[in-house]
Amino acid sequence: MEHLITLRRGEMVRDQPTSSIVALDEEILKIRGKENSSICLFFQANPAGCSIYERRPAECRALSCSDPAPLKAMYKQDRLTRSDLLPEGHPLLELVDEHDHRCDPTELGRLCQQVLESQDQDVINVIGGM
């Protein structure tokens, strides 16, 4: 789990196959980038390749630079979420729910847009509280 990050429903992300920025329709888990970059944590430069190649995730198996169709097809499948990885009743699930409720990405985006337009200090304080 320490190698994963969560992209939450409503977060703005880059959709690589369409080269566009979109809001996620659902939560997904992703392998963390190396040193705060987008380079996969398991990519090794010399010799070039994947250090977990035989155990790589399904999306990595579907990835082909010459044909994005198999990867796009993966978008239609159910993806793992935090609740899939944590057993029922795990104390982190309650924390996840509380965080999702208090800091909804869609609401945060709306508030940030409002600040850009008005510089309203009350809205800035709401964002700070989130």
Side-chain angles (χ1 to χ4, degrees):
M1 285 181 54
E2 70 270 12
H3 300 307
L4 301 176
I5 61 171
T6 301
L7 301 175
R8 299 184 305 143
R9 181 192 53 78
E11 282 191 50
M12 301 302 290
V13 297
R14 183 173 186 277
D15 181 355
Q16 292 176 329
T18 64
S19 295
S20 60
I21 305 297
V22 298
L24 284 176
D25 292 332
E26 61 186 339
E27 174 181 305
I28 62 172
L29 299 177
K30 180 178 172 164
I31 294 175
R32 176 188 317 278
K34 191 182 290 188
E35 300 169 4
N36 295 322
S37 75
S38 61
I39 298 170
C40 179
L41 181 64
F42 297 108
F43 175 75
Q44 59 189 25
N46 201 0
C50 174
S51 64
I52 61 167
Y53 187 80
E54 294 302 320
R55 299 180 323 273
R56 68 194 185 279
E59 287 187 9
C60 296
R61 292 177 188 275
L63 179 64
S64 169
C65 295
S66 62
D67 181 12
L71 181 60
K72 285 182 179 180
M74 296 289 298
Y75 283 27
K76 296 175 185 162
Q77 296 183 15
D78 287 339
R79 295 179 172 182
L80 287 175
T81 66
R82 294 169 287 182
S83 61
D84 293 322
L85 296 182
L86 297 169
E88 188 174 326
H90 193 284
L92 281 179
L93 288 172
E94 186 177 333
L95 185 61
V96 164
D97 288 341
E98 181 179 339
H99 179 259
D100 285 348
H101 176 73
R102 292 184 64 187
C103 188
D104 178 81
T106 303
E107 178 65 6
L108 183 58
R110 186 189 70 73
L111 291 169
C112 288
Q113 186 62 42
Q114 193 174 339
V115 167
L116 288 173
E117 295 166 359
S118 69
Q119 297 296 313
D120 185 328
Q121 187 60 48
D122 290 336
V123 176
I124 293 171
N125 292 338
V126 169
I127 292 170
M130 292 174 85

